Amino acid sequence: QVPLKESGPGLVKPSETLSLTCTVSIGSSDSFYWSWIRQVPGKGPECLGFVSPSGGTSYNPSVKDRVTISLVTGKNQFSLRLTSATAADTAVYYCASLKNADYVGWWGQGLLVTVSS
Amino acid sequence: DIQMTQSPSTLSASVGDRVTITCRASQGISIWLAWYQQKPGKAPNLLIYKASTLESGVPSRFSGSGSGTEFTLTINSLQPDDFATYFCQQYHDYWTFGQGTKIDMK
């Protein structure tokens, strides 16, 4: 069973909002911080931020003004919203769990999102 | 922001070789560094955290060292399954990954 799995549209138009959901099947823990990480093929990953088990958030300054990561109430899910998408946001998006908000313990399988008209 | 620079970008090696990858931070990060292995089309996989602590289930031929601004990942006796791309990641101040080091077959 895949511990985390991303879902959402694979194509987003420029200026629109990129929205993804992650379904979690590894249970929960106070040490698991739920994160979104993206990777342009051939480049290093970029962590966009996380939501803590209590709902607190921390975001990468590079996307802070455009990103929201939140828990989905009542479900084993968390979500990503990235507003004003541009071609530079085209990447493979992974949901992941950060151990104590530090390093990545679990990764999803990844979802390619293309921003194009 | 803290920048992470890996060297080399590509490394050609043979099965049985001992290989070393270096990761340099633009400022001191103590020991708050992780290493990952990534194979084509797959998510990265955690190898080492806190600079030198081996993740459970990772073979002991992998080791990490360093502190401050300079870190190394060493693979003793490279195995066929180790041909992949390796990334370092700092978590001292937010999170930054290196650009990757690809190990290919000589």
Side-chain angles (χ1 to χ4, degrees):
Chain A
Q1 190 178 19
V2 177
L4 301 106
K5 189 171 184 179
E6 307 84 357
S7 59
L11 181 63
V12 176
K13 289 183 167 51
S15 80
E16 294 191 345
T17 296
L18 187 160
S19 295
L20 299 176
T21 299
C22 181
T23 300
V24 177
S25 57
I26 53 173
S28 62
S29 163
D30 286 345
S31 64
F32 287 171
Y33 287 62
W34 307 109
S35 177
W36 288 94
I37 298 171
R38 67 183 180 182
Q39 186 177 27
V40 174
K43 305 288 187 184
E46 176 186 29
C47 183
L48 302 180
F50 69 74
V51 58
S52 74
S54 63
T57 56
S58 180
Y59 299 128
N60 190 320
S62 68
V63 292
K64 184 178 180 181
D65 294 336
R66 298 195 293 131
V67 69
T68 304
I69 299 173
S70 55
L71 301 173
V72 178
T73 308
K75 297 185 177 182
N76 290 334
Q77 294 179 330
F78 63 102
S79 66
L80 168 72
R81 281 175 47 88
L82 187 66
T83 61
S84 304
T86 71
D89 295 314
T90 294
V92 175
Y93 284 75
Y94 295 99
C95 59
S97 70
L98 297 180
K99 181 73 172 175
N100 295 323
D102 294 333
Y103 53 87
V104 183
W106 292 97
W107 298 74
Q109 62 190 28
L111 180 67
L112 175 62
V113 179
T114 301
V115 180
S116 174
S117 54
Chain B
D1 344 352
I2 299 176
Q3 307 300 319
M4 305 301 292
T5 303
Q6 289 182 234
S7 60
S9 296
T10 306
L11 191 162
S12 296
S14 301
V15 172
D17 284 353
R18 182 173 186 262
V19 301
T20 298
I21 299 168
T22 298
C23 180
R24 288 187 174 87
S26 60
Q27 62 190 76
I29 59 169
S30 185
I31 58 169
W32 309 123
L33 184 104
W35 289 98
Y36 303 85
Q37 177 193 70
Q38 186 176 33
K39 296 186 177 177
K42 300 291 187 184
N45 186 47
L46 177 68
L47 298 174
I48 286 167
Y49 59 94
K50 221 158 68 173
S52 61
T53 302
L54 204 65
E55 170 71 348
S56 176
V58 173
S60 58
R61 63 181 179 274
F62 291 91
S63 64
S65 65
S67 66
T69 61
E70 187 152 335
F71 302 84
T72 58
L73 172 71
T74 299
I75 310 173
N76 282 305
S77 189
L78 194 71
Q79 298 300 299
D81 193 47
D82 301 337
F83 291 98
T85 300
Y86 294 82
F87 295 97
C88 60
Q89 177 226 337
Q90 68 84 15
Y91 49 95
H92 172 72
D93 182 20
Y94 293 102
W95 322 269
T96 318
F97 288 81
Q99 82 281 13
T101 296
K102 182 178 180 180
I103 300 179
D104 63 19
M105 208 169 293
K106 188 184 291 182

